[in-house]
């Protein structure tokens, strides 16, 4: 009779440890895939401080009053439970890619064999305060989104009792959408978009610029092509020397890399974010990825060929305009209308529904 024996402990392969930093879109997708396609001989740890991920694309709709906050949230616990990963609900203090470990905000150390980074951008209060004195005391920062979403109802309540003077400070799509969302939610308030030295949509085609500017004008959002250089309790100081009367400044400055990434020693790109090759792998440390896909993580750990990341040549961009109306772009084509808001609402709700599982009791 043949007796089956277990492999010798000395020959058993130690499981590899994959750490996922952050719960951004790519990592939500990884968690979803791990539920049905677990990585062999791998222990996976998620490090994310917030219990829920707020879908940023829906935040302007939340500000405008079209969504409750719960509509925009993806609870992490059900996803984590189904995927079978370990979840550490802490912030990140430091990252050492040489020693291959992460130091958390409670001082504990988490080692890794492989790392994927998908934490998103931050608004560094110290550097912003140096460039914009008074911002830390008087501005309402839009990042982290969780803090902004919690504070916005207080602003809305004030705006329901009296007309406010609100300044949205920052260029780009977020500034455009938030200014119009505020205008829709608080129609009696004065809304000003301080967009910097260039007009809204300056990086897009002239036709789109005209659409965006016409929408802002139609909704009576004042546009100032100037920069904010300081803040007081009741005003924003502009680069031209004038003071803009303001009760609530919403700060929509460009997102920055977190300090722990800046100090990590990893190769960074011109914007200060992780520099990656065509496989979304760090150019300086081959065991570190930026928002990698599951198949590339599995391939890297198995020592097989990776698949290059191929972003779409053209992407549909939909900008909400406050009142269930949107502007859309695809390559050089642009359009606007109620139907585009319907499309954006459908896409956003489907994304949240894809990852929003019932929470455990």
């Amino acid at each position: 009779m043949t007796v089956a024996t277990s492999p010798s402990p000395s020959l058993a392969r130690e499981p590899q440890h994959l750490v996922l930093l952050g719960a951004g879109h790519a990592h939500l997708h990884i968690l979803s895939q791990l539920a049905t396609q677990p990585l062999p001989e791998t222990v996976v740890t998620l490090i994310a401080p917030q219990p829920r991920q707020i879908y940023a694309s829906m935040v302007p709709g939340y500000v405008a009053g079209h969504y409750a906050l719960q509509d925009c949230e993806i609870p992490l616990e059900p996803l984590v439970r189904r995927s079978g990963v370990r979840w550490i609900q802490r912030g990140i203090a430091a990252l050492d890619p040489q020693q291959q470990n992460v130091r958390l905000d409670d001082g504990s150390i988490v080692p890794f064999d492989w790392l994927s980074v998908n934490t998103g951008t931050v608004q560094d209060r110290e550097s912003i305060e140096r460039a914009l004195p008074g911002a830390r005391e008087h501005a309402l920062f839009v990042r982290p989104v969780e803090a902004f979403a919690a504070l916005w109802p207080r602003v809305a309540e004030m705006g329901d009792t009296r007309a406010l003077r609100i300044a949205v400070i920052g260029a780009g799509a977020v500034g455009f959408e938030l200014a119009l969302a505020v205008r829709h939610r608080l129609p009696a308030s004065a809304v000003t978009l301080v967009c910097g030295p260039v007009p809204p949509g300056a990086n897009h085609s002239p036709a789109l610029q005209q659409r965006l500017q016409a929408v802002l004008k139609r909704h009576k959002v004042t546009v100032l092509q100037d920069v904010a250089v300081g803040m007081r309790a009741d005003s924003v100081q502009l680069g031209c020397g004038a003071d803009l009367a303001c009760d609530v400044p919403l700060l929509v400055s460009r997102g920055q890399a977190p300090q722990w990434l800046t100090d990590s020693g990893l190769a960074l790109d011109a914007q200060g974010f992780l520099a990656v090759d065509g496989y979304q792998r760090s150019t300086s440390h081959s065991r570190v990825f930026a928002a990698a896909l599951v198949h590339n993580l599995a391939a890297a750990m198995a020592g097989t060929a990776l698949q290059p990341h191929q972003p779409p040549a053209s992407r549909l961009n939909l900008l909400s305009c406050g009142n269930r109306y949107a502007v859309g772009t695809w390559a050089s084509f642009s359009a606007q209308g109620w139907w585009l808001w319907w499309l954006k609402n459908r896409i956003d709700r489907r994304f949240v529904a894809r990852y929003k599982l019932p929470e455990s009791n």
Side-chain angles (χ1 to χ4, degrees):
M1 182 174 67
T2 302
V3 179
T5 59
S6 300
S8 168
S10 61
L11 299 178
R13 181 179 175 182
E14 288 289 328
Q16 301 187 82
H17 188 196
L18 166 65
V19 171
L20 306 176
L21 288 188
H25 298 175
H27 285 177
L28 292 178
H29 188 61
I30 287 177
L31 292 174
S32 179
Q33 287 187 297
L34 288 177
T36 56
Q37 301 173 353
L39 293 170
E41 300 180 318
T42 304
V43 175
V44 182
T45 297
L46 171 70
I47 299 176
Q50 301 293 341
R52 291 172 173 80
Q53 181 74 3
I54 296 178
Y55 188 35
S57 181
M58 296 179 74
V59 170
Y62 164 69
V63 170
H66 303 314
Y67 306 125
L69 186 56
Q70 292 80 1
D71 297 329
C72 315
E73 294 178 336
I74 300 171
L76 292 182
E77 191 273 335
L79 267 176
V80 169
R81 175 166 36 85
R82 194 179 72 165
S83 65
V85 310
R86 175 193 180 202
W87 179 20
I88 302 177
Q89 199 172 336
R90 306 294 312 187
I92 304 162
L95 167 61
D96 188 338
Q98 290 296 114
Q99 297 298 317
Q100 294 185 196
N101 63 53
V102 180
R103 178 161 55 85
L104 306 181
D105 55 10
D106 63 354
S108 59
I109 301 294
V110 180
F112 64 83
D113 297 304
W114 301 88
L115 183 74
S116 180
V117 181
N118 189 208
T119 55
T121 61
V122 300
Q123 287 179 299
D124 182 69
R125 302 309 200 251
E126 292 185 7
S127 63
I128 291 175
E129 178 66 22
R130 289 194 294 270
L132 189 55
R136 294 190 72 166
E137 181 179 359
H138 302 298
L140 177 55
F141 290 75
V142 299
R143 294 184 181 89
V145 174
E146 293 79 10
F148 171 75
L151 292 171
W152 169 249
R154 300 184 192 178
V155 178
E157 289 173 6
M158 287 193 299
D160 288 336
T161 60
R162 63 185 177 92
L164 297 174
R165 300 164 299 180
I166 300 178
V168 178
I169 301 168
V174 178
F176 173 84
E177 289 189 292
L178 279 182
L180 289 165
V182 172
R183 158 59 65 228
H184 181 76
R185 176 61 184 84
L186 302 174
S189 295
V191 181
T192 302
L193 175 61
V194 182
C195 62
V198 296
N203 294 331
H204 298 279
S205 67
L208 180 59
Q209 289 184 47
Q210 291 176 7
R211 287 185 188 275
L212 300 183
Q213 292 166 24
V215 168
L216 291 164
K217 183 177 181 179
R218 183 166 67 249
H219 290 282
K220 299 181 180 179
V221 173
T222 302
V223 178
L224 296 181
Q225 285 183 220
D226 207 335
V227 294
V229 296
M231 291 185 181
R232 300 190 182 96
D234 60 355
S235 66
V236 174
Q237 298 164 277
L238 301 176
C240 66
D243 284 349
L244 172 66
C246 179
D247 301 304
V248 182
L250 302 186
L251 196 55
V252 193
S253 62
R254 182 183 294 245
Q256 303 153 298
Q259 193 63 43
W260 54 262
L261 180 59
T262 303
D263 297 338
S264 67
L266 288 163
L268 305 177
D269 62 18
Q271 287 73 45
F273 296 98
L274 187 62
V276 296
D277 60 16
Y279 305 103
Q280 293 294 94
R281 178 178 53 191
S282 166
T283 57
S284 61
H285 295 75
S286 62
R287 287 178 171 259
V288 178
F289 288 77
L293 301 178
V294 166
H295 61 73
N296 269 0
L297 290 171
M301 288 186 281
T304 57
L306 278 66
Q307 296 180 18
H309 175 64
Q310 296 179 332
S314 298
R315 179 175 297 176
L316 176 64
N317 292 309
L318 297 170
L319 303 179
S320 59
C321 301
N323 59 340
R324 299 181 188 268
Y325 191 90
V327 174
T329 65
W330 175 271
S332 60
F333 173 78
S334 66
Q336 63 190 68
W338 307 105
W339 63 277
L340 283 170
W341 192 91
W342 175 88
L343 178 61
K344 175 175 169 55
N345 175 62
R346 181 178 176 83
I347 292 171
D348 289 345
R349 285 189 180 273
R350 286 182 64 182
F351 179 90
V352 172
R354 180 178 183 179
Y355 301 111
K356 195 168 190 173
L357 305 177
E359 296 189 64
S360 61
N361 296 325

